[in-house]
Amino acid sequence: MREVRHFVNGQALEGRSGRFGDIYDPNTGEVQARAPLATAEELDLAVQAAQRAFTNWSIVNPQRRARVMFEFKRLVEARMDELAELLSSEHGKVLADSRGDVQRGLEVIEFACGIPHALKGEFTEGAGPGIDVYSMRQPLGVVAGITPFNFPAMIPMWMFGVAIACGNTFILKPSERDPSVPVRLAELMMEAGAPAGVLNVVHGDKVAVDAILQHPAVQAISFVGSSDIAHYVYAHGAAMGKRVQAMGGAKNHGVVLPDADLDQVVKDLAGAAFGSAGERCMALPVVVPVGQRTAEDLRERLVAEIETLKVGTSTDPAAQYGPVVNAAHKQRVENYIQLGVDEGAELVVDGRGFQLQGYEKGFFIGPSLFDHVTPQMRTYQEEIFGPVLQMVRADSFEAALELPSKHPYGNGVAIFTRNGRAARDFAARVNVGMVGINVPIPVPVAYHTFGGWKRSAFGDTNQHGMEGVRFWTKIKTVTARWPEGLVEDSAFVIPTMR
Ligand code: NAD
């Protein structure tokens, strides 16, 4: 059976722990490979390699670091199909979606290509007599990223793209469920000119994550995954004195006002709720129609749209979405569907029991639609992360605004309307980090920044854009005096600028 390797100091490294995680082919349900689960000692080897590499990488000038990013982008683009196939084969998302996963990561690499500009400090000439003040952004040292299964290309690139361009050296601990693409990306970084040890990949589970949290040389951790683990990483990393940003789960709402273009809304909702089998932190699993007429009309159109959806293997070009990642996740989603029924929501379309001919053991789930879901239900409060759309009816704009605002998660939200003033008011007042106006999946472009609120993110700074640069650097401020003659100010009082 294929065995994935760690990638440390520019070389593949066989796992020595004797523990492995299964990697499935979600189309067939069979185990296709296994990933080694690292020990604390193996993690330490990677940290040592990264420490050695930091000495030189941190003083390579920013323009040369940017050139490595330009070359990496070229190499990834040249291998787009190979990467997308590998990604789909372990994750289960359809090929076009895997290309999107790689492409969204590359957009952050494009941002990182401009790192010389982003790292320029500030300068004040003549802050006092003969005094100039300037600031510079310096890399932190060895830093780490811990990533989820659902975007095995994009999210690692969000993190290491900016961190490495800033002069740090990196340990990536990808999801053990689909770890092959992250290893390929690290190999391509070396090919692009990053010296050995600048980007290391260590596979693992809680043991590897705890080793990162406890390692004294790791200066900063970026985490993306589910909220309980995000909070754990945030709390333990901060207690160890590390800088931590930890993005968690989501339950994004799509609010539909009565004046919205429903033909468009139905298409947008179907893609955002069921695309990638709902395994996206920016999916739209909750729709909130405002008013009875909007709700009835939308429901009818959604049922018709769902009937046209094509679920298929990840390699089927006609399929709109593929299987979920593994059997445990399929079971979890189906348990939530049953819970929804038990809680009293109306299951309008039931996606359970879906079978694809020739792939009966694959992890497929058909699209499901619930109506009359209420805010008290557990299935509304919690993240399902599957192809399940829940309709929560609201009788006014204010009631619709309140739902995402009061929900424990606050990653993304969307409003569909033709009324600019209502949209503007909604965007200003909603208690959620990323807002779409007639945009169902409002993932910000790479030079802006990604991050939710409430239980969707712990820590202070977001991913990529200038927020990312701030996260991966520390600022130093220099006050320099080159006086013309003797400075007569008293040395015994706090200096002030008069
Ligand atoms: P997960 O929390 O199970 O795993 C994330 C990472 O944590 C993986 O690398 C995993 O190996 C590690 N991990 C797992 N169990 C651990 C434990 N007990 N202790 C320490 N580390 C552990 O998440 P997942 O299932 O891979 O990904 C889906 C989740 O990620 C969803 O909740 C989704 O909303 C979220 N997500 C959030 C964002 C965002 O930006 N907010 C983006 C993508 C995914």
Side-chain angles (χ1 to χ4, degrees):
M1 177 167 314
R2 180 168 67 95
E3 201 174 299
V4 177
R5 309 244 176 111
H6 304 299
F7 189 77
V8 174
N9 203 26
Q11 285 176 345
L13 201 70
E14 223 167 88
R16 294 187 213 146
S17 69
R19 295 194 307 125
F20 295 90
D22 287 336
I23 303 167
Y24 290 90
D25 173 348
N27 293 316
T28 62
E30 279 162 16
V31 177
Q32 57 157 315
R34 57 184 197 164
L37 305 175
T39 60
E41 291 71 33
E42 288 173 302
L43 186 274
D44 181 53
L45 281 181
V47 174
Q48 285 182 36
Q51 274 181 303
R52 286 193 300 275
F54 181 72
T55 310
N56 288 330
W57 183 247
S58 56
I59 54 170
V60 166
N61 74 56
Q63 208 158 1
R64 282 185 52 203
R65 294 200 299 257
R67 284 187 195 132
V68 172
M69 293 298 164
F70 275 109
E71 179 60 5
F72 176 67
K73 170 178 148 62
R74 194 188 67 76
L75 292 173
V76 172
E77 276 169 348
R79 287 164 178 77
M80 178 64 90
D81 288 344
E82 173 207 324
L83 287 164
E85 274 164 33
L86 189 57
L87 199 161
S88 285
S89 74
E90 294 184 353
H91 178 287
K93 63 175 82 171
V94 294
L95 281 168
D97 208 24
S98 291
R99 279 189 211 102
D101 190 332
V102 178
Q103 179 57 33
R104 285 307 295 242
L106 272 186
E107 289 170 12
V108 174
I109 301 300
E110 287 167 354
F111 170 76
C113 288
I115 207 70
H117 181 67
L119 285 180
K120 279 189 309 189
E122 293 172 333
F123 186 86
T124 303
E125 182 192 18
I131 295 179
D132 300 326
V133 178
Y134 60 96
S135 62
M136 46 185 139
R137 294 211 154 264
Q138 297 190 329
L140 304 172
V142 177
V143 297
I146 302 164
T147 53
F149 82 87
N150 69 326
F151 280 99
M154 176 184 82
I155 295 179
M157 283 193 268
W158 279 1
M159 298 175 181
F160 76 68
V162 182
I164 290 175
C166 286
N168 300 285
T169 53
F170 205 89
I171 313 289
L172 174 64
K173 207 303 285 169
S175 170
E176 64 279 32
R177 295 185 234 173
D178 48 9
S180 296
V181 166
V183 174
R184 279 299 287 139
L185 293 176
E187 290 166 351
L188 292 175
M189 272 294 285
M190 299 299 112
E191 208 180 316
V198 166
L199 175 55
N200 307 276
V201 183
V202 176
H203 305 291
D205 56 2
K206 183 174 177 357
V207 174
V209 171
D210 285 345
I212 292 171
L213 289 170
Q214 280 154 23
H215 203 298
V218 175
Q219 304 296 322
I221 301 173
S222 180
F223 173 92
V224 176
S226 52
S227 287
D228 287 348
I229 299 172
H231 187 259
Y232 171 84
V233 168
Y234 172 66
H236 286 75
M240 289 294 291
K242 301 183 193 306
R243 191 178 284 193
V244 187
Q245 56 176 200
M247 276 66 194
K251 191 86 178 186
N252 305 329
H253 295 52
V255 170
V256 184
L257 298 191
D259 68 349
D261 173 356
L262 286 194
D263 289 336
Q264 182 66 49
V265 169
V266 166
K267 294 276 173 213
D268 287 347
L269 280 175
F274 305 119
S276 197
E279 293 172 321
R280 290 186 185 134
C281 69
M282 289 297 274
L284 266 191
V286 178
V287 57
V288 183
V290 175
Q292 285 307 320
R293 261 192 40 210
T294 316
E296 293 304 333
D297 200 356
L298 195 60
R299 173 176 162 152
E300 200 181 307
R301 290 171 193 239
L302 275 171
V303 171
E305 183 69 20
I306 287 171
E307 273 169 17
T308 70
L309 291 187
K310 181 161 169 28
V311 183
T313 62
S314 57
T315 50
D316 177 353
Q320 276 144 323
Y321 74 86
V324 298
V325 70
N326 62 20
H329 192 57
K330 177 175 168 167
Q331 189 60 55
R332 180 176 180 271
V333 173
E334 293 191 341
N335 289 348
Y336 268 117
I337 297 173
Q338 186 55 45
L339 179 63
V341 174
D342 297 343
E343 287 181 316
E346 182 192 355
L347 183 55
V348 183
V349 181
D350 186 354
R352 290 172 297 179
F354 176 92
Q355 291 248 313
L356 193 66
Q357 211 185 351
Y359 295 90
E360 285 76 10
K361 293 202 172 125
F363 309 133
F364 296 94
I365 310 175
S368 293
L369 175 68
F370 276 105
D371 194 1
H372 301 292
V373 174
T374 64
Q376 296 72 35
M377 293 177 182
R378 244 187 73 199
T379 45
Y380 169 77
Q381 294 286 331
E382 296 175 11
E383 181 182 39
I384 299 175
F385 220 55
V388 182
L389 179 58
Q390 296 170 290
M391 192 183 282
V392 184
R393 297 175 177 225
D395 53 17
S396 67
F397 175 85
E398 290 299 326
L401 173 68
E402 201 171 87
L403 284 164
S405 296
K406 288 199 166 161
H407 198 281
Y409 290 109
N411 215 36
V413 69
I415 183 164
F416 299 92
T417 179
R418 290 183 168 100
N419 182 330
R421 235 177 92 182
R424 187 172 183 272
D425 187 29
F426 182 88
R429 288 165 61 205
V430 71
N431 184 20
V432 170
M434 291 174 279
V435 183
I437 297 174
N438 298 317
V439 172
I441 304 182
V443 176
V445 289
Y447 45 95
H448 281 257
T449 182
F450 184 104
W453 288 2
K454 300 180 280 182
R455 271 184 66 71
S456 294
F458 306 94
D460 296 322
T461 53
N462 279 0
Q463 300 281 349
H464 62 72
M466 285 310 293
E467 286 268 299
V469 174
R470 285 180 204 112
F471 181 76
W472 297 115
T473 54
K474 53 194 173 191
I475 194 157
K476 183 181 279 178
T477 310
V478 179
T479 304
R481 180 168 69 185
W482 299 100
E484 281 200 6
L486 186 66
V487 179
E488 291 186 0
D489 281 4
S490 163
F492 297 96
V493 295
I494 180 82
T496 56
M497 296 297 170
R498 275 168 286 142

